[in-house]
C-alpha cells in the first residue's frame, strides 16, 4: 500500500482533481490510500466565516458556490455537498446565537474543508470509473488528544484505524487535518496538518511509502521565492527533514516525520504539476551533503527574551524556575544562550507572552526584543564539517548582517543563527549563494 496525500492546490479545481484521479489510477497496483486537504483557500475562508458569525453574519454562500462550481465542472451533481453545507450553516448560526467561538467550535468549523473535499474527490474517482469512498478520519478511528487546534493522535488509535481502512471497498479518500477526541469532539492537527494525517494513515496501514503531492519539486535547498537558484534535494534524513520543517521550510508539516520514523516508512515529496520529477525522498539514513549543508530555512516573527537574575550570581534553580514558568504557559523555546547571570531565549511572537513574562518579572529582570528571525542551516553531520561556522560568519560579515545569537553545539544536524528580521531574506540569499551557487 502507498499513501498519496494531495494538498490544497492539488485539489483546487476540477482540472487539478482530474490529475489526482489520473495519478492514483497510474498507481493502482500499489493500492493507494488517498488523503486530501481542503480546496486551496477554504480553511482560511472557514476561519473567516467563524469570526464573521461572531459578529452576526452567517453566510455559507462562498463555501457552497465554490464546491458546487467544482462539482459542476466535474460533471457531478452540485447538491452532493448540500448536507455538509447545511450543517455548517447551523453551526455558524449557533456561534452567532451563543456569541462565543471556542477552540473546540473553531476546529469543528475548520473540519468542513476536508469533509467537503474528500466527498468531492471520491465522487470524481467514481465518475472516472474507479471505486472510491470518502472517509471522515474521525469515523474510521483517528482518535486524538483534546488539544484543539494542534491535536496529536493517541498511540492506541493506530490499530483500529488500520483495520477500518483495510475494510474500505475501493480507494479510501480520507480527510486530512482532522480527527476526534475520546469524547467525540472534532479536533484538528494544526495548520498544514494533512501531511501529518498522511503519515498517521501510513503508519496505521503499514504503507510502503507515504507520498506528499504538492506544487513544487520536493524539498528545496532554500525557499525558491528568496533564492531563484534553489534546487530540489534528492534525499534527506528524517532528522534533517524534521529540522527543516520546524524551521520554516513550508513543504511538510513538522510532525509528519514522527509516525514515519516510528514505522520506518519513507516519505516522498512530489510535484503534481510535474509527476515525472523524482522529488525528494526522506529516509532514516541519508548520505551527508558535500559542503555539510543541505538546505537553509528561516523562521520569522520571533522575540528574543533576555532574563537577568536580580541577584548577583545565578543561584541554583534559577534556570529551572525560568523553564518551569515558560513550560507551564506553553511557551515554545527555539534557541537558548546563557551567561553567568543572564539567559537569552527565542520564541514565536504570534502568541501572547504577557502572562508568562509577568510571572518571570517576579524573579528576574526581563527584556523583550521583537522582530527577530532564525536562519537555520541543516545537514546531517554539520558540526563535523570543519569550517562551516567560519564560512557562515564570514558570509554574514560581508553582507553586513550582525548575528545576535548562535546555536551550534547542541545538534549535529543544524546551525541556527538569530538575526534581525529585516535582514533575514538577505541572510538566506547570501548564505545560499555561498554554499550552493
Ligand atoms: N486545510 C488545512 C490547512 O489549510 C490542512 C492542510 O491543508 O494541510 O491548514
Ligand atoms: Mg501543506
Amino acid at each position: 500500500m502507498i499513501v498519496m496525500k494531495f494538498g490544497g492546490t492539488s485539489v483546487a479545481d476540477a482540472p487539478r482533481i482530474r490529475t489526482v484521479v489520473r495519478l492514483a489510477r497510474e498507481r493502482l497496483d500499489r493500492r493507494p490510500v488517498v488523503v486530501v486537504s481542503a480546496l486551496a483557500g477554504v480553511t482560511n475562508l472557514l476561519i473567516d466565516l467563524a469570526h464573521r458569525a461572531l459578529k452576526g453574519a452567517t453566510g455559507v454562500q462562498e463555501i457552497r458556490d465554490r464546491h458546487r462550481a467544482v462539482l459542476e465542472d466535474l460533471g457531478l451533481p452540485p447538491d452532493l455537498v448540500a448536507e455538509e453545507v447545511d450543517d455548517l450553516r447551523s453551526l455558524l448560526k449557533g456561534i452567532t446565537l451563543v456569541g462565543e467561538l471556542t477552540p473546540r467550535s473553531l476546529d469543528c468549523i475548520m473540519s468542513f474543508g476536508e469533509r467537503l473535499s474528500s466527498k468531492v474527490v471520491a465522487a470524481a474517482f467514481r465518475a472516472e470509473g474507479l471505486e472510491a469512498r470518502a472517509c471522515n478520519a474521525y469515523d474510521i478511528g483517528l482518535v486524538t488528544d483534546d488539544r484543539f487546534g494542534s491535536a496529536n493522535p493517541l498511540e492506541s488509535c493506530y490499530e483500529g484505524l488500520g483495520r477500518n481502512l483495510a475494510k474500505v471497498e475501493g480507494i479510501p479518500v480520507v480527510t486530512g487535518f482532522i480527527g476526534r477526541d475520546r469524547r467525540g469532539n472534532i479536533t484538528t492537527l494544526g495548520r498544514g496538518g494533512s501531511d501529518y494525517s498522511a503519515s498517521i494513515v501510513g503508519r496505521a496501514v503499514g504503507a510502503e511509502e507515504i507520498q506528499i503531492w504538492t506544487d513544487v519539486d520536493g524539498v528545496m535547498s532554500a525557499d525558491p521565492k528568496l533564492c531563484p537558484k534553489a534546487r530540489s534535494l534528492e534525499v534527506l534524513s528524517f532528522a534533517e527533514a524534521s529540522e527543516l520543517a520546524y524551521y520554516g521550510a513550508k513543504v511538510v508539516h513538522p510532525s509528519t516525520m514522527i509516525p514515519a520514523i516510528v514505522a520506518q516508512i519513507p516519505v516522498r515529496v512530489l510535484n503534481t504539476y510535474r509527476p515525472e520529477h523524482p522529488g525528494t525522498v526522506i529516509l532514516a539514513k541519508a548520505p551527508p551533503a558535500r559542503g555539510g549543508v543541505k538546505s537553509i530555512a528561516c523562521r520569522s516573527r520571533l522575540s528574543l527574551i533576555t532574563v537577568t537574575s536580580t541577584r548577583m550570581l545565578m543561584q541554583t534553580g534559577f534556570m529551572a524556575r525560568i523553564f518551569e514558568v515558560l513550560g507551564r504557559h506553553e511557551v515554545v523555546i527555539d534557541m537558548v544562550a546563557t551567561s553567568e547571570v543572564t539567559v537569552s531565549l527565542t520564541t514565536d511572537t504570534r502568541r501572547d507572552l504577557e502572562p508568562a513574562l509577568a510571572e518571570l518579572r517576579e524573579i528576574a529582570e526581563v527584556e523583550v526584543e521583537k522582530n527577530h528571525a532564525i536562519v537555520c542551516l541543516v545537514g546531517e553531520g554539520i558540526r563535523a564539517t570543519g569550517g562551516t561556522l567560519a564560512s557562515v560568519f564570514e558570509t554574514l560579515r560581508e553582507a553586513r548582517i550582525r548575528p545576535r545569537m548562535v546555536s551550534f553545539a547542541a545538534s549535529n544536524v543544524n546551525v541556527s543563527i538569530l538575526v534581525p528580521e529585516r535582514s533575514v531574506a538577505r541572510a538566506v540569499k547570501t548564505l545560499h549563494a555561498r554554499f550552493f551557487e
Side-chain angles (χ1 to χ4, degrees), residues 1-279:
M1 272 182 157
I2 55 169
V3 174
M4 300 179 76
K5 178 262 169 179
F6 295 94
T9 49
S10 305
V11 293
D13 52 33
R16 303 304 314 149
I17 293 173
R18 284 205 188 91
T19 303
V20 166
V21 176
R22 197 191 76 226
L23 291 171
R25 187 197 291 282
E26 288 166 1
R27 287 159 186 78
L28 281 182
D29 56 329
R30 298 177 79 187
R31 292 196 294 140
V33 175
V34 172
V35 176
V36 288
S37 290
L39 274 55
V42 165
T43 309
N44 285 342
L45 180 56
L46 287 165
I47 296 172
D48 208 39
L49 290 182
H51 287 104
R52 277 191 245 160
L54 263 185
K55 292 184 195 131
T58 50
V60 288
Q61 209 172 336
E62 286 157 89
I63 292 285
R64 192 193 58 201
D65 293 351
R66 174 84 190 275
H67 291 86
R68 285 176 72 105
V70 172
L71 285 167
E72 250 166 60
D73 290 347
L74 286 167
L76 295 165
D79 55 1
L80 189 76
V81 292
E83 199 183 314
E84 279 76 13
V85 170
D86 280 346
D87 288 352
L88 175 63
R89 189 185 293 110
S90 314
L91 192 61
L92 290 169
K93 203 167 265 170
I95 284 167
T96 304
L97 290 173
V98 181
E100 189 183 50
L101 180 62
T102 61
R104 190 176 88 177
S105 43
L106 184 59
D107 270 8
C108 191
I109 288 172
M110 285 195 286
S111 75
F112 280 92
E114 275 70 11
R115 286 155 75 179
L116 290 163
S117 69
S118 61
K119 250 186 138 171
V120 173
V121 172
F125 272 100
R126 290 193 297 270
E128 306 242 353
L130 290 173
E131 196 174 354
R133 219 168 253 20
C135 303
N136 281 334
Y138 52 79
D139 287 333
I140 54 167
L142 206 172
V143 186
T144 70
D145 56 26
D146 59 3
R147 289 179 65 102
F148 298 104
S150 57
N152 283 294
L154 301 182
E155 214 28 60
S156 55
C157 84
Y158 285 99
E159 223 190 289
L161 182 58
R163 220 180 315 113
N164 288 333
L165 277 164
K167 274 191 273 187
V168 174
E169 277 170 42
I171 302 171
V173 180
V174 186
T175 53
F177 186 49
I178 61 178
R180 66 162 174 90
D181 69 7
R182 261 177 293 206
R183 292 206 190 102
N185 299 305
I186 291 178
T187 55
T188 67
L189 311 181
R191 292 306 305 273
S194 297
D195 301 335
Y196 192 13
S197 304
S199 91
I200 295 167
V201 165
R203 178 180 159 189
V205 300
E208 54 170 289
E209 185 168 279
I210 297 159
Q211 302 182 339
I212 307 290
W213 288 88
T214 173
D215 52 4
V216 288
D217 295 333
V219 184
M220 311 286 280
S221 56
D223 182 349
K225 280 183 212 114
L226 283 179
C227 309
K229 287 195 184 145
R231 54 169 190 252
S232 154
L233 304 169
E234 237 171 87
V235 48
L236 282 173
S237 69
F238 283 133
E240 290 169 333
S242 305
E243 295 282 342
L244 280 175
Y246 183 74
Y247 283 103
K250 288 175 200 71
V251 202
V252 275
H253 183 283
S255 302
T256 310
M257 254 51 75
I258 301 168
I261 291 171
V262 172
Q264 294 287 306
I265 303 170
V267 176
R268 193 182 284 276
V269 183
L270 292 152
N271 189 350
T272 26
Y273 292 91
R274 275 215 301 167
E276 65 288 354
H277 192 284

